[in-house]
Amino acid sequence: MISLLIVDDEKIIRRGLQSLIERQFPNLFNYRFAENGQEALELLRQESVDIMFTDIRMPIMNGIELLEQLQDHPVKPEVVLLSGYNEFEYARKAIRYAVKEYLVKPVMREELFAVLERLIQDIRMREERADKAGEEASLIAADLVIRHLTQKDAGDAITQNKLKLAGFSWLDAGYTLGLLSRRGGRSLPADAASFRNQIAELLQGHVDWMLTRDGEGGTIMIARNPVMIYQLAERWRLSVYDSQLRIAISESVQGMEQLRWAHCQAKEALKYSIVLPELDVLDYTSISERNERHVVPVELIHRLSNLMGMGREKEMKQLLDQILDARIISCCEIGYLERISQLFNEELFDKVFHIYGNRGLDQLRPYASVGHIGNFDRFEHYYAAVEQLLKRLDQFIQDQREQAPTDENTMQKVLAYLQTHYADNLNMAVVSNHFSLNYSYFSQAFHEYSGESFSNYVRRLRLDKAKELLVHSDLKVYEISDQVGFENVKHFTRLFKDTEGITALEYRRQRRLFGIHV
């Protein structure tokens, strides 16, 4: 597993990142956490990690100080810096410490996954280079294939002369690429001598084939004759080996410039294993004909989201049957099911985490595999997992609503908390979680008690505090804006004028001129 250290002084951010990553990359990362740079440094001295996400602003030791201390560390992790929009100066200082990637808070799902995919590929490429350190010269062609797949400028390096010297001149004449995987998506180690021996034994008498890796953790087989791949699948199925083999194959292509395209075809074909579990070989040529398109049922997913926590299990089941209609999914392109899976993550599962924080994460964690359809061998297994998770979340939300306190004293405590913490990074999720209140209940109860929404109350409270500072202090406007909790002075000055009808400086001069107290 890849070790990942998340360094942030806010627990909800640490666990939130873990929740997003686990559903997209289940069982891939071993997580470690630290609340500040000093704690992270102590962990790294005990054991190295592959990737480190670190915030900039933290108590005791901030992110920049942590990076500075790491310069003398014998094994440095790949660093991803988490920064706010107003922290460019800090980010600029981090350039000298070879930060690998930057993510701006609040972290967007797509940017997070793109960064992780790049880092995962870098790590796997290093592992593959290490694996090949002791290989014989006969594996030069396999190395060239990996380079061609992973490096955009590697085309010039793959010459007919090098292929002829390695005994693989047939690659330029025509070939089919197969992507090998175990049932369940576990990749097969191309560098394992035992596996290579198993393949060689099953393909005795055949020539013009090679086995290598693709730079993404996958194992590929390239064969001059595609019949050989079908024969391998058949012989593997009849063999005594414990694992079950699935191979996704490309069209027959010519020329090394088509290698990346063939690899993309094989990866696309492999996605269909969830709806075609009976096939040992998934042929891109036949799968590409599945071009029937249907409109993704976005409205049905929204209705399903609204029913969660209402105890209307029968209606939820009916909606789920409509959304995951096996008759439609069996004839559609796989992108249709991928989009539904993505919407389940965004509209259902992420929503629970944002409302209930770590309590919601505890419900989601056992079902991390639901986050991606590629984690399932069969469509019916995916359906069953989604159905079970929805039932669990429905009951969880019901329980939270029943346990939610309704006494007036609780709202008094909330207002007292806001009076003390108005300058913090406040939102309804943070405050409701602090008081162990259901998010939806909190929103309604707060409005009923205070007479206004949570956001309006906090905004008014911050403006009142700002007016006090304008009259009774000599702080500059931007300093007051920062002290009372506004993200930037432009937002503060615009809001102040919209609310008071005059600018902050005009307000200060007016109050001081007439001796009016706030």
Side-chain angles (χ1 to χ4, degrees):
M1 298 181 75
I2 298 174
S3 54
L4 171 60
L5 171 61
I6 302 176
V7 189
D8 197 295
D9 58 329
E10 294 189 47
K11 185 176 182 180
I12 193 171
I13 292 179
R14 298 195 302 269
R15 295 300 181 182
L17 285 172
Q18 180 190 8
S19 176
L20 287 173
I21 296 169
E22 275 187 340
R23 291 205 301 280
Q24 183 70 10
F25 306 99
N27 305 318
L28 180 60
F29 292 100
N30 178 26
Y31 298 90
R32 304 183 73 183
F33 305 94
E35 295 185 11
N36 55 66
Q38 183 63 48
E39 186 177 330
L41 200 58
E42 292 173 359
L43 288 174
L44 290 169
R45 285 168 179 164
Q46 297 171 17
E47 184 180 356
S48 62
V49 299
D50 298 308
I51 301 173
M52 180 178 73
F53 282 68
T54 180
D55 192 12
I56 291 180
R57 292 190 177 183
M58 296 179 292
I60 304 176
M61 179 186 289
N62 64 36
I64 302 300
E65 292 169 336
L66 170 60
L67 295 179
E68 184 178 6
Q69 292 290 325
L70 278 179
Q71 296 314 296
D72 297 327
H73 202 270
V75 182
K76 300 182 184 65
E78 303 282 11
V79 177
V80 179
L81 197 66
L82 305 175
S83 64
Y85 285 105
N86 59 346
E87 295 174 338
F88 174 76
E89 185 62 21
Y90 287 98
R92 186 181 64 80
K93 291 179 181 178
I95 293 175
R96 73 186 70 170
Y97 300 125
V99 171
K100 192 76 173 182
E101 300 276 0
Y102 294 85
L103 287 173
V104 177
K105 290 183 177 180
V107 176
M108 304 300 293
R109 170 198 295 270
E110 293 78 10
E111 294 175 357
L112 172 64
F113 294 164
V115 164
L116 282 171
E117 285 171 356
R118 289 195 292 270
L119 293 178
I120 291 168
Q121 180 170 324
D122 288 346
I123 290 170
R124 284 174 170 163
M125 285 179 64
R126 286 201 304 271
E127 292 173 347
E128 288 164 358
R129 286 195 294 267
D131 290 341
K132 295 192 296 288
E135 289 182 351
E136 299 177 359
S138 61
L139 297 179
I140 290 176
D143 179 60
L144 291 174
V145 168
I146 294 174
R147 289 174 57 192
H148 191 71
L149 285 173
T150 58
Q151 300 177 24
K152 292 182 179 180
D153 58 349
D156 294 339
I158 303 179
T159 63
Q160 282 296 318
N161 185 48
K162 289 183 179 180
L163 291 173
K164 287 179 181 179
L165 289 174
F168 291 95
S169 57
W170 55 267
L171 286 171
D172 196 51
Y175 57 90
T176 298
L177 185 146
L179 184 59
L180 283 62
S181 70
R182 295 185 193 275
R183 303 281 180 156
R186 298 187 303 275
S187 62
L188 298 168
D191 59 323
S194 60
F195 178 66
R196 293 184 61 84
N197 290 338
Q198 290 169 351
I199 294 293
E201 182 179 347
L202 293 175
L203 292 177
Q204 280 185 354
H206 289 286
V207 294
D208 297 346
W209 65 275
M210 67 184 303
L211 187 71
T212 186
R213 301 177 72 173
D214 63 358
E216 299 178 2
T219 297
I220 58 175
M221 176 180 174
I222 299 176
R224 183 171 185 174
N225 187 348
V227 174
M228 188 189 311
I229 297 177
Y230 283 91
Q231 290 176 342
L232 170 62
E234 176 68 17
R235 293 177 182 180
W236 188 284
R237 185 170 59 251
L238 298 176
S239 71
V240 296
Y241 304 137
D242 294 334
S243 60
Q244 291 180 288
L245 184 66
R246 174 175 284 137
I247 311 175
I249 64 173
S250 70
E251 299 172 328
S252 291
V253 295
Q254 278 188 308
M256 289 304 295
E257 65 275 6
Q258 294 294 315
L259 184 64
R260 292 194 187 96
W261 173 235
H263 184 237
C264 290
Q265 288 182 345
K267 288 199 298 183
E268 184 68 16
L270 188 60
K271 294 178 180 179
Y272 285 84
S273 60
I274 188 174
V275 293
L276 298 170
E278 70 282 359
L279 298 182
D280 293 326
V281 179
L282 299 161
D283 188 344
Y284 177 81
T285 303
S286 60
I287 288 173
S288 61
E289 297 172 358
R290 296 166 59 99
N291 56 9
E292 185 170 343
R293 298 177 181 272
H294 285 265
V295 177
V296 176
V298 177
E299 183 59 34
L300 294 180
I301 295 174
H302 287 164
R303 287 167 57 188
L304 183 60
S305 175
N306 293 334
L307 285 176
M308 283 207 305
M310 304 294 289
R312 292 155 68 175
E313 186 177 318
K314 184 177 180 180
E315 293 178 56
M316 291 178 65
K317 175 75 163 82
Q318 291 172 345
L319 282 172
L320 186 62
D321 287 341
Q322 290 179 263
I323 296 167
L324 294 178
D325 189 330
R327 294 169 300 177
I328 295 176
I329 288 171
S330 64
C331 60
C332 279
E333 58 176 353
I334 200 64
Y336 177 77
L337 181 56
E338 288 180 320
R339 179 58 178 153
I340 291 176
S341 175
Q342 179 185 354
L343 286 173
F344 277 162
N345 285 331
E346 296 173 353
E347 301 295 331
L348 300 176
F349 309 139
D350 286 357
K351 181 178 178 181
V352 172
F353 171 73
H354 289 312
I355 294 175
Y356 296 100
N358 291 329
R359 289 168 295 157
L361 179 60
D362 291 339
Q363 304 298 314
L364 295 168
R365 186 177 292 112
Y367 295 89
S369 60
V370 175
H372 197 283
I373 62 172
N375 299 320
F376 295 87
D377 286 333
R378 295 175 174 271
F379 169 73
E380 53 265 33
H381 295 167
Y382 173 71
Y383 178 96
V386 172
E387 182 182 27
Q388 188 63 34
L389 178 54
L390 287 175
K391 288 180 180 178
R392 181 164 180 168
L393 293 178
D394 180 57
Q395 187 60 54
F396 167 72
I397 296 172
Q398 290 182 67
D399 294 342
Q400 293 298 307
R401 287 175 176 169
E402 292 174 1
Q403 296 168 10
T406 58
D407 59 294
E408 184 175 299
N409 185 49
T410 300
M411 285 299 117
Q412 292 175 348
K413 292 179 180 178
V414 170
L415 295 187
Y417 177 86
L418 294 179
Q419 287 290 335
T420 305
H421 296 85
Y422 61 87
D424 295 346
N425 183 20
L426 291 177
N427 58 56
M428 248 192 340
V430 170
V431 178
S432 60
N433 189 54
H434 178 80
F435 287 92
S436 299
L437 295 174
N438 171 273
Y439 182 93
S440 300
Y441 163 80
F442 176 79
S443 175
Q444 179 181 350
F446 187 92
H447 194 282
E448 291 177 356
Y449 184 80
S450 67
E452 58 185 321
S453 69
F454 177 86
S455 59
N456 284 343
Y457 183 92
V458 173
R459 188 184 305 116
R460 181 175 55 80
L461 177 60
R462 287 171 172 169
L463 285 174
D464 288 343
K465 298 295 183 181
K467 287 190 285 186
E468 291 179 13
L469 290 173
L470 283 167
V471 175
H472 300 297
S473 79
D474 293 322
L475 293 172
K476 299 184 184 304
V477 171
Y478 73 87
E479 294 174 325
I480 292 174
S481 170
D482 184 65
Q483 281 199 21
V484 299
F486 285 97
E487 291 184 3
N488 59 73
V489 68
K490 288 184 179 180
H491 175 64
F492 167 69
T493 54
R494 182 174 63 251
L495 183 62
F496 192 96
K497 186 172 183 180
D498 290 344
T499 304
E500 299 296 326
I502 56 178
T503 67
L505 289 177
E506 289 171 339
Y507 180 90
R508 169 179 276 171
R509 286 195 296 268
Q510 184 187 78
R511 289 302 188 270
R512 289 182 174 180
L513 178 63
F514 295 103
I516 300 174
H517 297 290
V518 179

